[in-house]
Amino acid sequence: SHIREYQVMLIAFFESIKYVGHLVPLSFMRIYMGYFFFDQALSKAQGDYLVQPMLASSISEWLPQSPAPSWFMDFLENIVVPNWKIFAYSLTYCEFLIGISFLIGFLVRPVGLLGAFLCLVYIYSSGQPAIELHHMNLALFITMIWMGAGRSLGIDYFFYKRQRGIWW
């Protein structure tokens, strides 16, 4: 029974190329973004990001020049900086989730919303050299959500075939 289900999923994967072939170039971008976010999370998990207050120091350093709304700056200063460890783990886990989801093409639209939100947070809480990258990632996340990028070369097509909906 389970073997049959896996066969159907594998067939759906290859059918996704035929039926939504126009999304194949977008799927390569999705896979690259998945790799990028997975690599970022892995480097944070293996480095000092989770044990040293790097998040708190970078926010404190950038906050005076941030274009963020005052309520968000207060949130960063009064909540995030003192509790940097919780937020460092949360950011790392979000990046792992985005990376894995985009690599396999599963739940790309809902996870893309998480990624877009994460990019907005990064835009308002990181330094100038990285802002352009976060703007580009935000635009790519919106494109992935709009086009349903997980339907080509991804698991989302298997579910899209069975139950059409906003999440696939």
Side-chain angles (χ1 to χ4, degrees):
S1 169
H2 290 297
I3 293 173
R4 176 74 181 135
E5 195 66 26
Y6 291 129
Q7 288 174 338
V8 171
M9 285 183 80
L10 187 62
I11 290 168
F13 175 78
F14 289 112
E15 282 179 357
S16 74
I17 299 168
K18 183 171 91 175
Y19 290 115
V20 286
H22 62 283
L23 292 177
V24 170
L26 190 62
S27 66
F28 290 130
M29 181 60 70
R30 182 202 79 223
I31 293 167
Y32 173 76
M33 284 184 68
Y35 170 75
F36 175 79
F37 276 91
F38 187 80
D39 186 52
Q40 290 291 313
L42 200 58
S43 67
K44 286 179 181 176
Q46 292 175 343
D48 290 340
Y49 187 78
L50 300 175
V51 293
Q52 298 292 325
M54 293 178 175
L55 177 65
S57 65
S58 68
I59 289 173
S60 297
E61 180 182 316
W62 169 243
L63 205 56
Q65 300 124 4
S66 175
S70 61
W71 64 268
F72 189 71
M73 290 172 56
D74 291 339
F75 171 76
L76 289 174
E77 188 174 28
N78 298 322
I79 307 285
V80 176
V81 171
N83 303 304
W84 65 268
K85 200 165 208 167
I86 294 168
F87 288 96
Y89 274 96
S90 298
L91 291 173
T92 305
Y93 288 137
C94 283
E95 287 180 350
F96 267 125
L97 179 67
I98 293 166
I100 291 169
S101 171
F102 274 42
L103 280 170
I104 64 174
F106 182 60
L107 292 173
V108 169
R109 282 184 166 167
V111 173
L113 286 173
L114 172 69
F117 176 74
L118 190 65
C119 282
L120 287 173
V121 169
Y122 283 160
I123 286 168
Y124 288 131
S125 62
S126 61
Q128 187 60 38
I131 286 182
E132 290 82 16
L133 173 67
H134 300 311
H135 278 282
M136 184 186 67
N137 283 340
L138 179 62
L140 289 173
F141 277 122
I142 291 169
T143 304
M144 300 290 165
I145 295 165
W146 188 288
M147 299 296 293
R151 284 187 249 161
S152 180
L153 298 176
I155 298 173
D156 280 354
Y157 183 75
F158 172 76
F159 297 101
Y160 177 73
K161 257 179 49 172
R162 288 171 168 47
Q163 175 186 354
R164 305 216 186 247
I166 193 168
W167 298 118
W168 314 113

